[in-house]
Amino acid sequence: MEDFLSDKDIIIPPNYDEPLPRCQGPKLYPFKDRESNINFIRLLSSNDDSGEPGQSYVFEVIISSQIFALKVFKFYDANEDYANLTAEERTAVSKKIVCAHMDPFFNECRAFGRIIEAGLNGKVAVPCYGHLTVSAKLEDELKRRFHVKNWHRPKSEYEEPVSRRQPFRAIVKTLFLTRLSMDSKLVGKALRDLKRIRRLKVYIMDIRARNYVAGTLVDLSNAITEEHYLFYISPIWRVRLYQKEDLEYFDGMIEELGIQTWERALPNDTYRSKLRPGQELREDKRLESAVRTWDLIEQDRGITSLYRCPKCKEESESNCSTQGSRHNSPEKKMRKTPHPRFQILIREAKTR
């Protein structure tokens, strides 16, 4: 069994004063002022009266005199996802692992944990400050003030005193005051951010306009962060579909919003449809050639240039037979990175 499928350290319910989740992989640390009182100001997401189901409720709150967005998660039952596994898959994947990898709260913990580890907190998605708990004693108050009641809490808990019920799990984020989701000026950065997140092996799996504020991704509750049991038990073609879905949905979101832009996550099908059969074949060969060349570069990190010395044809300056001004002259100096036009080819090829 793979190490990341080990559930020996997982405790349910967990200790909320430690980084979560307890499974192997990235973790989100507790919010530093989690013991402070939380003043709920208003509900930012839809309530139960709207008829829109969701995995959480988002509130504007004040904690220690600072304003935040607090995402309070509904309770998650792993039984349904576990029941969808085959008997063979259950021998490798325990119910605790399913919970750690599929609970929307843990999904965000793992995704933000990976982003923070990479030093990109607030640069590719909304700034995240950690997790905390909200006392079950506030359930009636939240229901009365904001008409939220469908927490999916186990029915058996309502037979217990409030003091013995599970607390609500929440994640603290920056509050954006604008209602703008996306516009043509924000598409480019949003796409670059998405690709940077994907390079961290975090796949959002829920790209839609309502999950963006001012072009910034704010919802990662459906994210798959590697290592993940779905990638272990699924055939390779399905894994590729999981990995490509974000790009397809990003283009679909931009089209649905009616935003006019040249930015695309995947090659433009309209452009490709205008190509004659021979042109399309040449286009495919051009992209395949770019991938092969790039793979050769990745195999040997010592080769960082696609350009050779025009005199001796050496890639390495130390091996250059001229060793003179010609090799080091500005017009002949070897590039340390691929030419920009070649980088475009690489991007096209790697998203296909």
Side-chain angles (χ1 to χ4, degrees):
M1 185 177 69
E2 299 289 337
D3 290 342
F4 73 90
L5 295 178
S6 172
D7 64 0
K8 64 180 182 179
D9 295 326
I10 300 177
I11 303 172
I12 299 178
N15 176 2
Y16 292 105
D17 290 326
E18 62 185 19
L20 294 175
R22 285 284 297 272
C23 63
Q24 292 193 31
K27 298 170 177 56
L28 183 65
Y29 280 75
F31 181 60
K32 63 179 181 178
D33 293 325
R34 61 189 179 279
E35 300 297 332
S36 302
N37 291 329
I38 304 173
N39 182 11
F40 287 84
I41 306 300
R42 62 186 173 119
L43 179 68
L44 300 173
S45 59
S46 302
N47 61 20
D48 295 324
D49 296 336
S50 68
E52 295 183 15
Q55 301 164 333
S56 61
Y57 300 108
V58 183
F59 300 88
E60 177 184 344
V61 300
I62 297 177
I63 306 175
S64 298
S65 303
Q66 289 185 282
I67 299 177
F68 296 101
L70 185 67
K71 185 171 185 177
V72 186
F73 289 82
K74 298 179 180 181
F75 293 97
Y76 169 78
D77 185 354
N79 287 324
E80 182 176 348
D81 286 323
Y82 188 69
N84 289 331
L85 300 179
T86 65
E88 183 179 356
E89 290 168 346
R90 290 178 198 170
T91 61
V93 181
S94 70
K95 189 181 294 185
K96 287 183 177 180
I97 286 294
V98 171
C99 182
H101 287 192
M102 295 297 285
D103 183 336
F105 170 66
F106 289 144
N107 287 347
E108 285 217 347
C109 286
R110 282 164 55 83
F112 278 116
R114 175 68 56 78
I115 290 171
I116 292 171
E117 283 177 359
L120 296 175
N121 191 25
K123 297 179 181 179
V124 295
V126 61
C128 175
Y129 303 105
H131 67 79
L132 55 75
T133 58
V134 178
S135 173
K137 296 177 181 178
L138 294 177
E139 185 169 351
D140 288 338
E141 179 185 340
L142 296 177
K143 177 180 178 180
R144 175 177 53 81
R145 291 181 57 192
F146 305 109
H147 306 283
V148 295
K149 57 185 178 181
N150 294 331
W151 293 103
H152 300 166
R153 183 186 291 279
K155 293 182 179 179
S156 59
E157 288 195 17
Y158 287 108
E159 300 174 1
E160 301 284 344
V162 175
S163 59
R164 297 185 62 182
R165 297 175 189 172
Q166 293 183 69
F168 298 111
R169 298 92 43 84
I171 291 179
V172 185
K173 307 175 187 178
T174 289
L175 173 66
F176 290 100
L177 298 178
T178 180
R179 290 180 175 271
L180 175 65
S181 170
M182 184 77 68
D183 65 19
S184 58
K185 296 179 181 179
L186 300 171
V187 171
K189 183 181 183 306
L191 180 55
R192 290 192 296 273
D193 290 346
L194 176 61
K195 290 184 176 181
R196 292 177 77 184
I197 293 173
R198 288 166 52 79
R199 284 197 288 270
L200 299 177
K201 297 186 177 181
V202 177
Y203 308 98
I204 307 304
M205 308 304 292
D206 190 26
I207 297 294
R208 61 183 74 195
R210 73 182 187 189
N211 292 337
Y212 280 89
V213 178
T216 301
L217 190 63
V218 297
D219 188 335
L220 284 75
S221 57
N222 285 302
I224 291 179
T225 302
E226 295 190 44
E227 303 280 348
H228 195 284
Y229 82 85
L230 282 178
F231 285 7
Y232 177 75
I233 67 173
S234 301
I236 188 64
W237 62 266
R238 182 166 294 170
V239 172
R240 294 290 180 261
L241 287 180
Y242 289 147
Q243 294 173 331
K244 189 177 180 181
E245 180 178 301
D246 291 343
L247 302 177
E248 294 176 345
Y249 275 74
F250 186 91
D251 285 342
M253 175 186 70
I254 299 305
E255 185 175 344
E256 185 177 317
L257 292 172
I259 296 175
Q260 300 297 319
T261 177
W262 290 102
E263 299 282 355
R264 292 192 63 84
L266 292 172
N268 191 326
D269 291 334
T270 302
Y271 161 72
R272 292 182 62 80
S273 67
K274 294 179 181 178
L275 296 175
R276 294 191 296 274
Q279 287 178 306
E280 187 166 359
L281 180 61
R282 286 196 296 273
E283 183 83 356
D284 289 337
K285 288 183 177 179
R286 183 175 70 127
L287 297 177
E288 290 173 5
S289 175
V291 172
R292 285 196 300 272
T293 307
W294 185 250
D295 287 342
L296 287 174
I297 296 171
E298 288 186 328
Q299 288 173 15
D300 184 0
R301 287 298 181 181
I303 302 176
T304 57
S305 171
L306 299 179
Y307 301 85
R308 302 174 185 271
C309 172
K311 184 92 173 167
C312 68
K313 309 303 181 185
E314 284 288 347
E315 291 170 330
S316 171
E317 186 172 340
S318 61
N319 296 331
C320 180
S321 60
T322 61
Q323 291 290 323
S325 59
R326 177 179 294 277
H327 191 107
N328 295 312
S329 61
E331 66 274 18
K332 300 300 183 182
K333 188 174 183 179
M334 296 185 294
R335 297 180 183 272
K336 297 302 182 184
T337 57
H339 190 280
R341 292 179 63 185
F342 190 82
Q343 291 179 8
I344 293 173
L345 280 176
I346 295 168
R347 282 201 302 271
E348 284 187 35
K350 283 195 169 288
T351 54
R352 294 192 61 184

